[in-house]
Amino acid sequence: MSIQKDDKYKVETTHNKKRKVEEITAKNSKQINDIQSKSLSIPGSKPSGKGEKKKEGRSQKELDETHYEFRNGLRCVSPYYFVFEVFAKGRWIGKTVEEILRSEFKAHTEDYYKKKLESGDINVNGERVNGNKKMNHGEKLFHRVHRHEPPVSSLPIEIIYEDEDIVVVNKPSSIPVHPCGRYRHNSVLFILAKEKGWKELFLIHRLDRLTSGLLILAKSSKVASKYGIQMEERLFQKVYLAKVKGKFPSEEQDVNQPIQVNIACKGVNSVKEDGKQSRTIFNLVSYNEKSDTSIVKCYISFYSHPSFS
């Protein structure tokens, strides 16, 4: 992946260009806040973004919630208690807590939610309530859980480059970039905060959890926004390598086809007419006749070569 030099990066002074830059910057800032917010929502919900200022970075209290254990090539997180919280959404107003849990959060059974309400692990504004309690504007729903994060690779996150603005790391496969789903402490942002002391890093781009490779992180929101604009303007060049089954064509393959996400949680995409426009150029890097596998650069399923990694 290459970054354009500052002296090659210019922002036009026209009204339309300024407006576009402001829109992209606002979009990036909101994205960063959503990811780095401490106020995570109950599983199945999304952060409301209202009524509370988002906190950037990771506090020492958060980092001290648990610790890592390394065994059998895996990084494991010791189970810990955590409280999900979310402000009442407009469609919840006037509905009972029981109705909301049953219709909005289907990860658990009704019996589970009843027991959690009785124990107070699910409450409103920190106060124990029964399932008949009706939600009002400004109220917050809390859910205290004992988190058991899935293990990830114990390979270290290698620091490739660092200056006053950015950090470039080599992200191992299996580790998500930021807290998501069942992963929190087992994410790049938390691991770097705990092990390197970088409590405030900002995303410039992402890599899928199962993808390994170079990840660029900014040390300030301003720098993240600057490079985020370069991403929007397609001034970055991304190169991926994949190991695939079979002998890939030796001639360069130029694919200009729209792609669509099929299974987001697994990072499965495919070519679809109504997908997002995308162009990728593929080149055969090497072929191993013994294992009948190829190393190529890299959107593979379109060519009917199943990808190994």
Side-chain angles (χ1 to χ4, degrees):
M1 179 178 289
S2 61
I3 304 174
Q4 298 294 321
K5 297 293 185 181
D6 287 347
D7 58 357
K8 293 182 180 179
Y9 178 71
K10 298 179 180 179
V11 179
E12 298 173 8
T13 57
T14 63
H15 175 74
N16 289 340
K17 189 67 176 181
K18 284 184 176 180
R19 182 176 180 181
K20 183 174 182 180
V21 169
E22 291 171 356
E23 289 174 350
I24 295 172
T25 301
K27 176 183 176 182
N28 288 336
S29 297
K30 180 180 184 302
Q31 186 181 67
I32 291 165
N33 284 338
D34 286 345
I35 292 169
Q36 298 185 329
S37 168
K38 179 182 177 181
S39 300
L40 299 177
S41 57
I42 292 176
S45 73
K46 297 179 181 179
S48 65
K50 298 180 180 180
E52 181 176 72
K53 185 177 180 180
K54 303 287 185 181
K55 181 181 178 181
E56 297 179 352
R58 280 141 294 283
S59 69
Q60 191 59 46
K61 182 179 179 181
E62 289 177 290
L63 299 179
D64 291 340
E65 287 173 335
T66 184
H67 65 276
Y68 297 120
E69 295 180 5
F70 298 88
R71 52 179 181 268
N72 301 322
L74 298 174
R75 178 191 294 269
C76 304
V77 174
S78 295
Y80 61 98
Y81 283 102
F82 180 77
V83 179
F84 290 96
E85 53 189 76
V86 60
F87 279 103
K89 302 178 184 296
R91 62 179 179 272
W92 296 1
I93 308 307
K95 290 186 177 181
T96 66
V97 172
E98 192 174 74
E99 289 175 323
I100 294 168
L101 293 174
R102 184 171 58 249
S103 62
E104 300 274 346
F105 309 109
K106 300 179 180 180
H108 301 286
T109 64
E110 289 187 37
D111 185 57
Y112 168 89
Y113 289 126
K114 287 180 180 179
K115 290 179 179 178
K116 285 289 186 177
L117 282 167
E118 292 173 359
S119 67
D121 284 336
I122 293 180
N123 61 76
V124 176
N125 294 340
E127 298 181 359
R128 186 175 300 188
V129 297
N130 60 43
N132 294 323
K133 150 71 179 170
K134 293 185 177 181
M135 292 294 291
N136 299 308
H137 288 286
E139 290 185 324
K140 186 183 284 188
L141 189 62
F142 293 84
H143 182 194
R144 182 174 181 264
V145 298
H146 198 230
R147 296 195 71 164
H148 296 251
E149 295 192 27
V152 298
S153 171
S154 64
L155 289 175
I157 299 176
E158 182 183 1
I159 310 303
I160 304 299
Y161 174 82
E162 179 190 0
D163 60 25
E164 65 275 11
D165 291 330
I166 65 172
V167 176
V168 181
V169 302
N170 183 14
K171 185 190 87 67
S173 175
S174 81
I175 306 178
V177 172
H178 56 78
C180 58
R182 298 171 62 195
Y183 299 88
R184 188 160 173 264
H185 286 270
N186 260 348
S187 64
V188 171
L189 292 182
F190 262 84
I191 292 171
L192 291 178
K194 292 168 77 75
E195 297 185 349
K196 302 296 184 180
W198 288 320
K199 296 181 182 179
E200 289 195 2
L201 291 177
F202 299 81
L203 298 180
I204 294 175
H205 68 106
R206 293 182 178 83
L207 290 177
D208 290 341
R209 183 176 66 84
L210 297 179
T211 301
S212 62
L214 295 183
L215 177 68
I216 308 172
L217 301 163
K219 292 184 176 180
S220 70
S221 58
K222 183 178 180 180
V223 172
S225 294
K226 181 184 75 170
Y227 286 120
I229 292 171
Q230 291 191 19
M231 291 285 287
E232 293 281 349
E233 296 291 340
R234 299 184 182 278
L235 299 179
F236 275 71
Q237 181 183 7
K238 297 180 181 179
V239 177
Y240 294 90
L241 296 178
K243 184 178 182 180
V244 302
K245 182 66 176 175
K247 186 174 183 179
F248 199 80
S250 57
E251 302 82 11
E252 181 176 272
Q253 306 292 324
D254 189 341
V255 180
N256 194 343
Q257 296 287 340
I259 59 174
Q260 179 175 290
V261 177
N262 289 346
I263 308 176
C265 62
K266 295 184 178 180
V268 177
N269 305 318
S270 64
V271 172
K272 296 287 184 181
E273 290 185 3
D274 57 348
K276 184 177 180 180
Q277 192 60 40
S278 178
R279 181 189 181 196
T280 305
I281 297 175
F282 299 88
N283 288 283
L284 175 65
V285 176
S286 64
Y287 172 66
N288 187 315
E289 187 174 354
K290 184 177 180 180
S291 62
D292 189 29
T293 57
S294 302
I295 302 296
V296 299
K297 302 176 185 179
C298 226
Y299 184 79
I300 309 305
S301 59
F302 181 60
Y303 281 100
S304 301
H305 287 260
S307 176
F308 282 167
S309 61

